[in-house]
Amino acid sequence: MQINKKYILVFLLGCLLFSGCQDKNNPAQQDVQYSITKSFNNGPLLVNLKISSKHIKLSDLLDMEIQTQINADYIVDLPKIKDDLKDFAIHTQREIGKKLGANNSVITTYYYKLEPIQTGKCQIPQLQFPFRKASEEPNTAKWDVLRTEAVDINVTTQSPIDANTSMADIEDVVDVKTNHLLAVVITFAAVILCAVGYIIYKMKTKKQEQIQKVYRPAHEIAFEMLRKLAGEKLVEQGRIKEYYEKLSSCLRKYIEDRFTLRAPEQTTEEFLDEIKKSNVLEPRYKQELKNFLEHCDLVKFAKYQPTNEQINQSLTMAQQFVDNTKSQEHQVEV
């Protein structure tokens, strides 16, 4: 029986087309170049790990092949790669097939396409392959584990630059015309911004200073000044006039703070006249203050020599005046 040559030719072309389709549909049958190959062994189990490259772009896919070879008397479980991967997502995953190896072993090959999800130093983590004897029940079997090593993968946004790549020369230099008006506007705006910034800075500084101010009652300050004066021992040193000058200044400072009067800037006569016209003091305190200031003036200006008893009475009078007229409501900045 003769077979038409035309039919034979059509049959051969069909086989070729079918073979080509098989190659395209099975990525493991494509010509993948693996730059990383690692082998790991534990007893009856051998694992070969292949990775296409250590450097890829974020837009690329990474090829990975896992091949297990184990004695036929044993069973090996695949690691949960989807859960183990942190820097990659599984784009494609399939089992290529099984075949018999040497010494009654079974070789199984798995293929993966991995998609990077971030740039920088990424990693194929350590993978664990548990295995046991086929004759044992899974729940009661003694499991052993083969562990691989982690593999670092560098993921970039662009391809690594070839060391032999040279930089192209700049062909033309464009002469950029200077816009003087724009430069003036930018300079003026910068000056305005600096001025506004300085004003804001000063306002904040002033506000902080106000917040940090401390206020105390006028009588506390007066008592403190009187204690300090007593501690200077001016009377014991014979400096009576200086003692009375400071004593009257203490009381005038207190009156200024407590009653908002310009006592230190007036003569005794002017000050007493203003006190007489105002209602800030009760009549009895006005008389006490008049006696005290006139006594101080005698010592300061008339060279009057007071006795020790009069000196002590003057200090006591000043202390009592402050104590009788004190108020917590009148605070003074210190």
Side-chain angles (χ1 to χ4, degrees):
M1 182 178 65
Q2 292 184 346
I3 301 176
N4 194 320
K5 293 181 178 180
K6 183 186 293 186
Y7 293 123
I8 295 175
L9 181 60
V10 170
F11 175 76
L12 292 175
L13 288 174
C15 291
L16 288 174
L17 289 173
F18 179 77
S19 176
C21 292
Q22 287 291 327
D23 288 342
K24 290 181 180 179
N25 292 332
N26 190 348
Q29 294 178 3
Q30 297 179 12
D31 188 16
V32 178
Q33 299 294 326
Y34 294 103
S35 63
I36 302 174
T37 301
K38 292 179 177 290
S39 296
F40 307 93
N41 182 265
N42 184 4
L45 176 61
L46 172 67
V47 173
N48 293 316
L49 176 65
K50 298 180 181 180
I51 299 174
S52 58
S53 178
K54 292 185 67 173
H55 303 278
I56 63 170
K57 294 189 297 182
L58 185 63
S59 58
D60 292 341
L61 296 177
L62 186 71
D63 295 286
M64 183 176 73
E65 182 180 292
I66 296 176
Q67 187 181 80
T68 63
Q69 182 174 353
I70 193 167
N71 188 282
D73 295 331
Y74 287 82
I75 294 176
V76 59
D77 287 350
L78 276 180
K80 297 179 180 179
I81 296 179
K82 183 178 180 180
D83 297 333
D84 294 338
L85 290 174
K86 304 300 181 184
D87 301 326
F88 295 88
I90 297 178
H91 181 272
T92 303
Q93 174 183 354
R94 69 179 63 194
E95 179 182 328
I96 296 177
K98 296 183 179 182
K99 63 181 181 180
L100 291 177
N103 300 322
N104 193 31
S105 63
V106 178
I107 301 174
T108 309
T109 305
Y110 304 89
Y111 174 79
Y112 301 86
K113 266 192 180 296
L114 306 180
E115 181 179 3
I117 59 177
Q118 62 182 5
T119 59
K121 183 180 178 181
C122 299
Q123 194 176 73
I124 303 296
Q126 181 190 71
L127 302 177
Q128 299 187 18
F129 295 80
F131 61 94
R132 62 177 173 85
K133 288 185 177 180
S135 59
E136 296 177 343
E137 293 294 329
N139 296 332
T140 59
K142 180 182 178 182
W143 289 85
D144 285 325
V145 179
L146 182 148
R147 295 178 175 84
T148 66
E149 296 177 356
V151 180
D152 293 332
I153 306 295
N154 185 34
V155 180
T156 60
T157 56
Q158 58 184 3
S159 299
I161 298 176
D162 189 350
N164 297 322
T165 303
S166 60
M167 299 295 291
D169 293 335
I170 299 175
E171 295 183 357
D172 295 314
V173 179
V174 179
D175 185 16
V176 180
K177 295 182 179 180
T178 304
N179 190 330
H180 296 288
L181 179 60
L182 179 61
V184 171
V185 171
I186 293 175
T187 303
F188 180 74
V191 172
I192 294 297
L193 287 175
C194 290
V196 172
Y198 177 76
I199 293 172
I200 294 174
Y201 168 76
K202 294 298 291 184
M203 291 176 64
K204 287 185 176 180
T205 304
K206 185 176 181 181
K207 186 176 181 181
Q208 290 176 352
E209 290 177 353
Q210 291 176 349
I211 293 174
Q212 294 174 356
K213 288 180 179 179
V214 179
Y215 292 87
R216 294 177 61 191
H219 64 272
E220 288 186 3
I221 299 173
F223 283 134
E224 190 174 289
M225 293 175 66
L226 292 173
R227 285 194 298 269
K228 182 179 179 181
L229 176 60
E232 292 179 0
K233 306 293 183 180
L234 296 178
V235 176
E236 289 82 345
Q237 300 173 32
R239 297 155 62 183
I240 307 299
K241 180 180 178 180
E242 183 180 350
Y243 172 80
Y244 270 89
E245 287 176 349
K246 290 188 175 183
L247 182 61
S248 61
S249 295
C250 288
L251 198 59
R252 287 190 174 217
K253 177 68 169 61
Y254 166 73
I255 293 171
E256 180 186 52
D257 294 339
R258 170 66 178 83
F259 301 104
T260 320
L261 295 175
R262 298 185 302 112
E265 300 177 7
Q266 296 175 325
T267 64
T268 301
E269 185 178 354
E270 292 171 342
F271 172 65
L272 291 175
D273 186 59
E274 183 175 345
I275 290 291
K276 184 178 180 180
K277 295 177 182 178
S278 68
N279 296 321
V280 296
L281 284 175
E282 296 180 16
R284 60 187 179 119
Y285 296 137
K286 291 180 181 180
Q287 187 60 43
E288 289 180 5
L289 184 61
K290 181 176 181 296
N291 295 337
F292 172 80
L293 293 178
E294 287 179 348
H295 176 71
C296 290
D297 283 352
L298 284 175
V299 178
K300 291 190 296 181
F301 304 114
K303 297 182 180 181
Y304 175 75
Q305 293 296 325
T307 63
N308 289 335
E309 183 180 356
Q310 289 175 321
I311 294 173
N312 293 332
Q313 286 179 349
S314 297
L315 179 60
T316 302
M317 184 184 298
Q319 292 172 336
Q320 288 178 347
F321 181 86
V322 173
D323 189 57
N324 291 333
T325 58
K326 66 183 179 181
S327 172
Q328 292 288 346
E329 296 179 359
H330 293 78
Q331 302 283 320
V332 182
E333 179 185 340
V334 295

